Amino acid sequence: MVGIGLDIGSTASKGVLIKNDHKHYCEIMPTGWSPRDAAGQLIEKLLDNAGLDRSDINRIYATGYGRIAISDVDKTLTEIKCHARGVSILHPEVRTIIDIGGQDSKVIKVNENGQVVDFAMNDKCAAGTGRFLQVTANALGMDVSELAFAEDRSQIISINSMCTVFAESEIIGLIAGGISRNGVIAGLHQSVGKRVAAMARRLGIQEKVAFTGGVAINNGVRRALGEELGCEIIIPDLCQYTGALGAALLACEQ
Ligand code: ADP
């Protein structure tokens, strides 16, 4: 059995191929303007890595924001279902998953079988998502991957604006006024942590808690979220791939 899971996200496309011997291969690339092209390239790369041909694939399942734009797949699934499946295989003890991606943030509650029991989602507003961090990193002349290394938690500057566009102006104003850039970055991480923790509290948090999505790579947001929730947070090794992993597992199982 060879199953491929694709998570065609707003920012990054992730793919996982699972062979029946449980060996898996992962690939990531920017989604770019065409989710369909990204999906095609991911499949080619995964097959290359695994030394397989197209004819060896039994099933391809797709999830993510761009899943509706791709045609050559056997099934499309919700991100909620795929993240739940992906996390439950890596960390069966997890009951609450917090996923922060490029365009939305989600809180998913799962039972001991990895099934979704409840969820909440913010996809209306960029604040509290990876987009917010990307826009503000840009305003600071940095790449989003540099933010966590630059933050200065000894002088956290609170960002008051709730909207990404206003927050960007606020940050530019603060920097122009001579405020510490690295203190502003610590404030940015705190603001994302606070927002997402508030959504999680509204749904109700049950430990253990896992943090997934590309934003989970950012150590500053991890720490801020952990402080806001007041509990230990598990970061799966494949934190940006859990949706694709879940889709690949479901493709192999069904
Ligand atoms: P989507 O599925 O919507 O494309 P992802 O879960 O792939 O979203 O997460 C994308 C977000 O992850 C980006 O907006 C960015 O904020 C963050 N991100 C990606 N790579 C890194 C990195 N190396 N360091 C810090 N943050 C990152």
Side-chain angles (χ1 to χ4, degrees):
M1 167 60 74
V2 175
I4 290 185
L6 301 175
D7 177 3
I8 309 299
S10 61
T11 313
S13 290
K14 286 77 63 178
V16 172
L17 180 151
I18 301 180
K19 272 194 199 177
N20 50 359
D21 54 5
H22 296 295
K23 206 166 163 53
H24 70 265
Y25 301 83
C26 300
E27 273 295 337
I28 187 164
M29 58 181 287
T31 299
W33 66 273
S34 167
R36 182 194 282 256
D37 285 357
Q41 287 179 41
L42 273 180
I43 294 169
E44 292 310 320
K45 283 184 179 191
L46 288 167
L47 289 174
D48 231 34
N49 293 349
L52 297 171
D53 290 322
R54 269 213 167 234
S55 56
D56 297 318
I57 308 173
N58 296 91
R59 270 187 292 275
I60 305 178
Y61 282 9
T63 187
Y65 143 96
R67 66 184 182 274
I68 43 166
I70 53 179
S71 49
D72 275 0
V73 295
D74 298 290
K75 198 170 183 179
T76 58
L77 301 164
T78 67
E79 291 164 70
I80 307 285
K81 184 171 180 158
C82 293
H83 282 291
R85 184 70 191 97
V87 172
S88 69
I89 189 113
L90 297 171
H91 294 282
E93 71 281 20
V94 165
R95 294 291 167 271
T96 309
I97 303 163
I98 296 179
D99 179 84
I100 313 184
Q103 185 168 266
D104 62 29
S105 41
K106 319 173 192 52
V107 182
I108 307 163
K109 292 176 84 171
V110 292
N111 65 16
E112 58 284 1
N113 301 317
Q115 288 158 335
V116 178
V117 288
D118 204 359
F119 71 92
M121 194 161 170
N122 158 33
D123 58 357
K124 301 275 182 287
C125 166
T129 71
R131 179 99 195 106
F132 177 72
L133 293 168
Q134 282 185 285
V135 167
T136 46
N138 218 20
L140 295 170
M142 299 172 75
D143 186 80
V144 76
S145 60
E146 298 172 309
L147 290 176
F149 302 99
E151 75 166 2
D152 180 357
R153 292 168 53 79
S154 68
Q155 43 177 336
I156 300 177
I157 312 294
S158 294
I159 311 296
N160 298 315
S161 308
M162 291 304 220
C163 165
T164 303
V165 178
F166 292 133
E168 188 184 6
S169 313
E170 186 182 340
I171 288 163
I172 291 169
L174 286 168
I175 303 292
I179 298 285
S180 147
R181 184 194 74 165
N182 295 354
V184 168
I185 294 170
L188 271 177
H189 293 155
Q190 198 182 46
S191 134
V192 174
K194 264 192 197 313
R195 229 166 208 270
V196 178
M199 179 167 73
R201 275 195 294 269
R202 279 195 297 275
L203 191 70
I205 299 153
Q206 201 185 334
E207 292 192 52
K208 303 276 183 165
V209 178
F211 180 17
T212 64
V215 176
I217 300 169
N218 181 322
N219 212 18
V221 179
R222 289 180 192 186
R223 202 165 19 211
L225 188 60
E227 276 174 15
E228 288 297 326
L229 294 177
C231 67
E232 185 207 343
I233 293 185
I234 296 168
I235 315 289
D237 282 344
L238 294 168
C239 67
Q240 201 170 4
Y241 290 89
T242 50
L245 174 65
L249 286 165
L250 291 163
C252 288
E253 287 160 4
Q254 285 176 16

